[in-house]
């Protein structure tokens, strides 16, 4: 559908129109009442075409163009219709099956302003996509960023998005769990503790939370310490580091760094 | 082991729960930690580690 914008200022009365069809963005412009001139711009992917569409609309509205007819007609920049949303989720699932997590994440998040607005189904797909991306980045570093948007999203941002998506998913399952920002200063008036869920066994003299889970320094054989990072939801071991001798650990305030103190040598 | 959740100011206990294991050793540096999103507590007891879900609310709830 074509969206038409008008600009009237003194002697100037002109229009600018734009439409999106797959990977092609078509614009028309000219004096009001005239057919105007048309230009076509073809992008390599529908996502890039949509981004260009939205960028051009923003540029025009910033310059003072007003959309003809008041409220914008349903178009590519508005929230997806149920039908198109379903199609995007189907495309996201197919992309995941085809081991294309970046494409899956993009498809699953069409129309989202922020991760917290996603539905449970969208979040499941977004988390699966981000887990795959973060796991790969964790193992291989930033060498293959071209597979994941070519650097449009930084490594750090991928991990942040995964955390946000997981939090949003937990909030959906347990709506009262997250502490509202308004409680930050005074604290909540009431707290309820749920049923304890056993996550692992073993003696853990030292415990700290990190971004990826909970960290325990667990005494092992031969005076060694196993530094184990576990997923809180399942208790599964995410990472394990063997330290020679006892050690102490601390985690940075944002949970992204671990400091390990031991007598001498390297971990 | 009994787990307490305490408010800092005013200093008062908001919730307690008994866990089915003994507490950590006396020299433990930290046997309890909040998850980063605040939705739970991880508690390392003598031989088992638990995740305790945490819900916040107002007195009217």
């Amino acid at each position: 559908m074509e969206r038409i914008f008008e600009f009237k200022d003194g002697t100037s009365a002109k229009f600018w129109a734009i439409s999106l069809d797959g990977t092609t963005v078509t614009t028309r412009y000219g004096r009001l009442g005239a057919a105007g001139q048309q230009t076509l711009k073809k992008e390599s992917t529908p996502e890039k075409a949509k981004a260009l569409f939205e960028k051009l609309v923003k540029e025009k509205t910033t310059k003072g163009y007003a959309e003809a007819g008041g409220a914008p007609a349903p178009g590519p920049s508005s929230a997806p219709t149920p039908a198109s949303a379903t199609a995007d989720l189907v495309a996201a699932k197919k992309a995941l099956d085809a081991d294309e997590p970046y494409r899956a994440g993009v498809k699953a998040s069409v129309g989202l302003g922020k991760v917290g607005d996603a539905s449970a189904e969208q979040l499941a797909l977004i988390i699966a996509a981000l887990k795959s991306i973060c796991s790969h980045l964790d193992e291989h570093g930033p060498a293959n960023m071209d597979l994941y948007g070519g650097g449009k999203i930084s490594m750090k941002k991928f991990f942040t998005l995964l955390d946000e998506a997981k939090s949003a998913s937990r909030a959906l399952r347990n709506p009262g769990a997250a502490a509202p920002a308004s409680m930050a200063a005074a604290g909540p008036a009431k707290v309820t503790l749920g049923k304890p869920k056993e996550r692992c066994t073993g003696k853990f003299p030292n415990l700290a939370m990190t971004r990826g889970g909970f960290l325990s320094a667990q005494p092992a054989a031969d005076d060694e310490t196993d530094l184990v990072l576990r997923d809180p939801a399942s208790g599964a071991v995410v990472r394990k580091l063997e330290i020679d001798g006892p050690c102490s650990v601390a985690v940075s305030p944002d949970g992204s760094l671990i400091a390990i103190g031991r007598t001498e040598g390297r971990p | 082991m009994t787990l307490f959740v305490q408010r800092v100011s005013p200093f008062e206990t908001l919730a307690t729960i008994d866990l089915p294991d003994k507490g950590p050793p006396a020299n433990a540096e930290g046997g309890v930690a909040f998850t980063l999103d605040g939705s739970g507590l991880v508690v390392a007891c003598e031989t088992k580690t638990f995740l305790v879900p945490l819900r916040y609310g107002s007195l009217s709830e």
Side-chain angles (χ1 to χ4, degrees), chain A residues 53-266:
Chain A
F53 178 102
E54 290 172 348
K55 180 185 162 207
L56 292 173
V57 168
K58 189 174 180 183
E59 282 178 1
K60 287 298 178 188
T61 52
T62 303
K63 287 179 181 175
Y65 279 75
E67 188 152 13
S77 65
S78 62
T81 62
S84 66
T86 303
D88 285 327
L89 293 183
V90 170
K93 286 173 188 165
K94 284 183 180 174
L96 269 181
D97 291 342
D99 198 20
E100 296 179 38
Y102 182 76
R103 183 172 150 70
V106 168
K107 281 291 177 188
S109 55
V110 167
L112 284 181
K114 58 181 188 294
V115 172
D117 295 336
S119 66
E121 191 176 8
Q122 278 178 300
L123 279 173
L125 289 164
I126 290 169
I127 289 171
L130 286 169
K131 272 186 174 176
S132 174
I133 292 171
C134 291
S135 170
H136 192 273
L137 291 175
D138 208 20
E139 191 172 348
H140 300 289
N144 294 322
M145 285 297 281
D146 56 319
L147 292 174
Y148 310 123
K152 280 186 287 190
I153 301 177
S154 69
M155 262 185 79
K156 187 178 176 185
K157 182 69 176 173
F158 275 121
F159 285 92
T160 304
L161 286 171
L162 178 57
D163 288 341
E164 289 175 1
K166 284 180 175 178
S167 293
S169 178
R170 280 191 291 269
L172 268 184
R173 292 197 306 267
N174 188 10
S182 59
M183 293 179 177
K190 184 179 164 189
V191 162
T192 309
L193 293 168
K195 186 180 177 186
K197 300 167 187 172
E198 187 178 327
R199 286 293 170 255
C200 55
T201 58
K203 294 191 176 184
F204 301 148
N206 199 332
L207 186 67
M209 297 308 300
T210 74
R211 182 183 287 172
F214 69 88
L215 185 73
S216 64
Q218 173 185 355
D222 301 327
D223 198 30
E224 285 190 343
T225 301
D226 284 342
L227 202 57
V228 184
L229 181 66
R230 291 177 184 271
D231 175 18
S234 65
V237 175
V238 178
R239 288 278 186 280
K240 187 173 175 181
L241 189 63
E242 290 179 357
I243 311 282
D244 187 12
C247 68
S248 57
V249 293
V251 178
S252 63
D254 70 351
S256 66
L257 296 173
I258 302 167
I260 304 166
R262 59 170 296 249
T263 308
E264 58 184 7
R266 290 171 176 271

Side-chain angles (χ1 to χ4, degrees), chain A residues 170 174 194 199 202 204 209, chain B residues 34 37 47 49 51 53 55 61:
Chain A
R170 280 191 291 269
N174 188 10
R199 286 293 170 255
F204 301 148
M209 297 308 300
Chain B
F34 282 91
D37 64 358
T47 60
T49 295
L51 173 68
R55 291 175 65 92
E61 291 180 23

Side-chain angles (χ1 to χ4, degrees), chain B residues 9-60:
Chain B
S9 178
F11 200 71
E12 61 183 4
T13 301
L14 294 178
T16 64
I17 191 169
D18 287 326
L19 299 169
D21 197 7
K22 291 180 182 174
N27 62 349
E29 292 185 26
V32 181
F34 282 91
T35 59
L36 288 189
D37 64 358
S39 66
L41 287 154
V42 177
V43 188
C45 296
E46 186 182 39
T47 60
K48 296 173 182 173
T49 295
F50 298 95
L51 173 68
V52 182
L54 185 61
R55 291 175 65 92
Y56 303 86
S58 62
L59 287 175
S60 59

